[in-house]
Amino acid sequence: MGLERLEEPRPVSLRDRARYGFDRTLARSTGTLMGWLVLTCLAVVIPVSALLVWTDPGSPRSLPGRLTAVWRTSAETLRLGAVTGTPLRMLLSALLGLVALLCVSTLVGVITTGLADRLAELSRGRSTVIEEGHAVVLGWSDQVATVVGELIAAQAAHRPRTIVLLADRDKAEMERALAVQAGPPGRARIICRSGPASDPGVLALVSPRTASTVLVLPSGEPTADADVLRVLLALRAVLGEGRDGPPVLAAVRDDRYRAPARLAAGPRGTVLETDTVTARLIAQCVGRPGLSLVLRDLLDFAGDEFHLADSSPFHGSSFGTALLGHATSCVVGLLTPGGRTLLNPPADTVVAPGSLLIVLTGDDGTTRLEDCRHLVDRAAIVTDPPPPESAAHLLLLGWNRRAPLVVDQLRRTARPGSVLHVVTDRAVPGPAREPESAAATRLTVRFQSADLSRPETLLGLDLAPYDGMVVLGPDPGEGPDRPDDRTLVTLLAVRLLEDRTGREMRVVTELVDDRNRPLAPLNPGSDVIVSGELTGLLMAQIAQNRHLAAVFDELFSADGSTICLRPAAYYVRPGSEASFATVVAAARDRGECAIGYRRHDRRATLPDLGVRLNPHKGERRAWDAEDQVVVVASGTADPAAASAAPGQDTEELRDGRGDARPHPR
């Protein structure tokens, strides 16, 4: 096979040569460009001016007169002056006009370039923020919309709040995303700045020293915890080593980074471990259907949330007296003068001077002292101990990085004799298979390998032996699909099995994206936990009051006081009409703090799904046996054991003026 002839080059045309020469000329300098512009203008203006003069009936008849008219028309068009006379005067006039034109053009160019550079700098978000008392959010993750939205909702009514966000993303992109996800800012102002928050020079742009609080968010990348640590170190370099500066709140995923992050955050820092918090909540929801709804209502700023209130009217009295001392607030604990948090302390705990009440109320400063003892109907209170909780048989489908933490939490909280059956298509690490201590052997864990991506595997499950189920999706980045896609497919199969057997399963599932919550095919007795949203809500709450960190840490722990939903029949007689103050008194007698209830007849009705937190103590209703009472109870206490017998209170309640008055029955 011979070589093919190369195609002969096409001859260069005169037009191409002229264009090439023109391009080279323009590329030489700015002066060359200006010369071409002058020549182009003269080549157009002079012929057109001559045409206008020669076609004007009133123009001079002589050739010199017409040339003078052409000069004046061209000069007025180019703003070069209209001086006539000798050629020297006309040349000087043209030179003066060209210099003026050059100066004006240069000035306009400088102003235009400066404005363009300034606008480009502002669009990149690299200008310094001059604010005081603002909230600084560092980093971008799936929690940012929740954090910003809750900070907006928590803003003071008398003063607009400024929220400054710094992330290594495009400023315009961040503003568009927040406008869509967080909604309108209302009276608050959201300022976005672009750049790496781990750079102290960039971090100084958001003025963290004058901020009221600083929040550091973990990203969704594998190096998220290391990035948070670098940001905290940069923040330490900007703020200095002392105790001066705003409170710092950060979140990490891995427990190995929590201690270094605390050191980097300094004495005013608080570090959350998101994976552990999520795992604890999943484990708690397994035996308490509806708990995720209660916690979501508690953590957002749309309704009632935890606040600190003055305890001076109860100094020297018992904590049990304070439980019925407010009509529109629910007391759940004490903050001692030494800063120690006592959640659901014994009813006979004395309220010491200098302590604060931890209350569930609508807003800070809304607690009002009011005696509610006369609202208690002792005849409606149940005094018989409830039946003890039995061992549970649970099913866990799927595996991710939080699964070992979930198994460990279930080992800690399960009743003796409980069984956990784990079905997964991944290799389970050895430590997750073995209990951490002899006390954790109350739960037997069995592992089974199966391909959960195949529908026949899911539809072949026998749900009859199980009391509850946990569905976990893969971690982000594992596989081509989004993590929630696998979870939604699993939930569809579970729902089909429920329809076949006619038996509802209590399902606790974890989702990554909150937008997938309405898509989850679950029955009203199930719980959905969005880990990113949970972290964002917690950070927003603690950002408002750092003392709440200890409260939430205990609520999500396996050993301290936790939030429970228990049958209303444990507290009041089914079918009886009683006030919520009666429920509070009944819960107090059992060593618990009642903070709300869930109506059985509205558990599938939006928007609250039957959950009612912090009702008025005087609210009366007929209590159904299927209703549930929301209480703060000891995590190790057996609900079958009553902590105290009902009795007559003899304490005195002092009003805000310090006067003592008898506490009526």
Side-chain angles (χ1 to χ4, degrees):
M1 187 178 198
L3 294 175
E4 297 182 359
R5 293 185 59 188
L6 296 176
E7 183 180 354
E8 295 183 0
R10 183 175 60 88
V12 180
S13 64
L14 181 60
R15 179 182 178 184
D16 293 337
R17 290 182 182 277
R19 179 178 295 177
Y20 177 68
F22 181 73
D23 292 343
R24 289 185 59 190
T25 304
L26 292 182
R28 290 178 183 175
S29 64
T30 304
T32 305
L33 176 60
M34 294 178 61
W36 274 108
L37 290 175
V38 171
L39 291 177
T40 303
C41 290
L42 293 176
V44 174
V45 172
I46 293 177
V48 173
S49 298
L51 182 61
L52 291 175
V53 171
W54 255 263
T55 57
D56 184 7
S59 62
R61 296 298 179 182
S62 62
L63 180 61
R66 290 193 173 188
L67 292 178
T68 302
V70 171
W71 162 251
R72 288 179 175 176
T73 304
S74 301
E76 290 175 356
T77 303
L78 296 176
R79 298 296 189 269
L80 298 179
V83 177
T84 59
T86 63
L88 180 59
R89 286 175 54 83
M90 297 174 63
L91 181 62
L92 292 176
S93 175
L95 178 61
L96 182 61
L98 287 173
V99 171
L101 180 62
L102 178 62
C103 292
V104 172
S105 300
T106 303
L107 180 61
V108 172
V110 169
I111 295 175
T112 303
T113 303
L115 288 176
D117 293 342
R118 183 59 177 169
L119 291 175
E121 182 181 355
L122 292 176
S123 65
R124 290 194 301 267
R126 300 307 295 269
S127 60
T128 303
V129 175
I130 309 298
E131 295 283 347
E132 292 185 1
H134 56 294
V136 174
V137 180
L138 304 177
W140 186 272
S141 67
D142 53 356
Q143 299 104 356
V144 66
T146 301
V147 170
V148 172
E150 291 302 310
L151 290 178
I152 292 173
Q155 65 178 324
H158 63 279
R159 178 176 60 88
R161 183 164 196 174
T162 302
I163 302 170
V164 181
L165 174 63
L166 173 62
D168 198 7
R169 296 170 65 94
D170 181 70
K171 176 178 178 290
E173 180 184 345
M174 290 189 289
E175 291 174 344
R176 286 193 297 266
L178 290 176
V180 173
Q181 300 177 26
R187 299 178 66 244
R189 290 189 300 141
I190 300 177
I191 302 174
C192 295
R193 289 294 179 263
S194 180
S198 57
D199 185 346
V202 176
L203 187 58
L205 296 177
V206 297
S207 302
R209 188 179 297 275
T210 59
S212 61
T213 184
V214 179
L215 296 89
V216 184
L217 305 182
S219 66
E221 302 297 327
T223 60
D225 290 345
D227 294 339
V228 169
L229 188 60
R230 291 172 60 87
V231 173
L232 290 175
L233 291 174
L235 195 62
R236 189 185 187 95
V238 173
L239 297 179
E241 300 287 340
R243 290 181 172 271
D244 296 335
V248 178
L249 177 61
V252 296
R253 299 186 308 188
D254 196 330
D255 179 60
R256 294 174 297 179
Y257 283 89
R258 187 173 187 180
R262 281 180 171 175
L263 292 175
R268 294 180 61 82
T270 303
V271 179
L272 299 178
E273 188 183 345
T274 61
D275 280 2
T276 300
V277 171
T278 303
R280 288 173 177 174
L281 180 55
I282 292 174
Q284 291 177 7
C285 289
V286 170
R288 305 163 189 171
L291 180 60
S292 65
L293 301 174
V294 175
L295 290 176
R296 187 177 183 182
D297 197 355
L298 278 175
L299 293 176
D300 64 28
F301 287 97
D304 298 276
E305 57 271 350
F306 290 122
H307 293 278
L308 298 178
D310 180 31
S311 67
S312 55
F314 305 99
H315 289 170
S317 301
S318 67
F319 176 75
T321 302
L323 291 177
L324 289 172
H326 304 86
T328 58
S329 305
C330 291
V331 180
V332 297
L334 293 171
L335 181 65
T336 66
R340 183 186 176 192
T341 299
L342 300 177
L343 205 58
N344 185 36
D348 57 357
T349 301
V350 177
V351 180
S355 58
L356 296 173
L357 297 177
I358 304 174
V359 299
L360 178 65
T361 187
D363 200 358
D364 193 15
T366 59
T367 56
R368 296 291 183 269
L369 189 68
E370 184 175 345
D371 175 20
C372 298
R373 285 176 143 195
H374 64 284
L375 301 174
V376 177
D377 183 5
R378 285 287 174 186
I381 295 179
V382 173
T383 57
D384 298 332
E389 296 181 5
S390 58
H393 198 174
L394 307 174
L395 174 65
L396 191 153
L397 299 178
W399 197 264
N400 55 29
R401 70 172 188 268
R402 287 170 295 280
L405 300 174
V406 174
V407 174
D408 179 62
Q409 291 297 317
L410 290 174
R411 282 177 173 146
R412 295 172 181 270
T413 58
R415 294 292 172 181
S418 299
V419 177
L420 175 64
H421 185 196
V422 180
V423 181
T424 177
D425 51 6
R426 292 180 50 184
V428 179
R433 293 178 173 269
E434 301 297 332
E436 294 184 354
S437 62
T441 57
R442 66 184 73 180
L443 177 70
T444 301
V445 184
R446 300 170 182 169
F447 292 88
Q448 176 185 345
S449 179
D451 189 0
L452 295 178
S453 63
R454 302 179 64 87
E456 53 267 25
T457 302
L458 298 171
L459 295 177
L461 295 173
D462 182 13
L463 303 182
Y466 303 109
D467 302 308
M469 176 189 302
V470 179
V471 178
L472 300 179
D475 291 317
E478 294 184 356
D481 299 330
R482 291 169 294 187
D484 290 347
D485 293 346
R486 175 78 69 85
T487 305
L488 294 176
V489 171
T490 304
L491 294 176
L492 279 172
V494 172
R495 193 58 184 267
L496 181 58
L497 289 174
E498 290 178 336
D499 294 340
R500 287 181 179 178
T501 60
R503 177 173 178 262
E504 285 189 357
M505 284 291 297
R506 295 189 322 214
V507 181
V508 180
T509 185
E510 178 193 15
L511 294 177
V512 175
D513 193 342
D514 184 59
R515 291 172 295 182
N516 292 325
R517 184 195 299 268
L519 306 181
L522 293 169
N523 58 63
S526 300
D527 290 88
V528 177
I529 298 170
V530 183
S531 54
E533 180 195 38
L534 173 66
T535 302
L537 292 174
L538 271 174
M539 296 186 73
Q541 286 283 345
I542 299 174
Q544 294 300 113
N545 191 334
R546 62 181 308 200
H547 294 293
L548 296 180
V551 175
F552 291 118
D553 185 63
E554 183 171 353
L555 286 177
F556 290 117
S557 69
D559 304 323
S561 296
T562 59
I563 296 177
C564 305
L565 283 86
R566 290 178 174 163
Y570 288 5
Y571 306 95
V572 291
R573 303 186 186 280
S576 62
E577 181 177 329
S579 64
F580 184 69
T582 304
V583 178
V584 173
R588 180 193 58 185
D589 294 343
R590 299 186 185 279
E592 302 167 351
C593 299
I595 61 174
Y597 60 87
R598 187 183 187 190
R599 292 178 52 174
H600 175 72
D601 59 341
R602 292 182 54 88
R603 68 189 191 115
T605 305
L606 295 174
D608 56 5
L609 299 174
V611 176
R612 177 89 161 87
L613 294 181
N614 189 30
H616 193 281
K617 296 294 192 305
E619 179 181 314
R620 301 182 63 86
R621 62 182 305 270
W623 297 90
D624 189 271
E626 299 295 327
D627 291 338
Q628 294 176 302
V629 176
V630 183
V631 297
V632 178
S634 173
T636 57
D638 189 343
S643 62
Q648 185 172 2
D649 296 317
T650 58
E651 300 289 348
E652 292 182 345
L653 186 67
R654 298 169 178 85
D655 60 18
R657 297 167 298 186
D659 300 330
R661 55 187 174 88
H663 207 324
R665 193 77 200 136

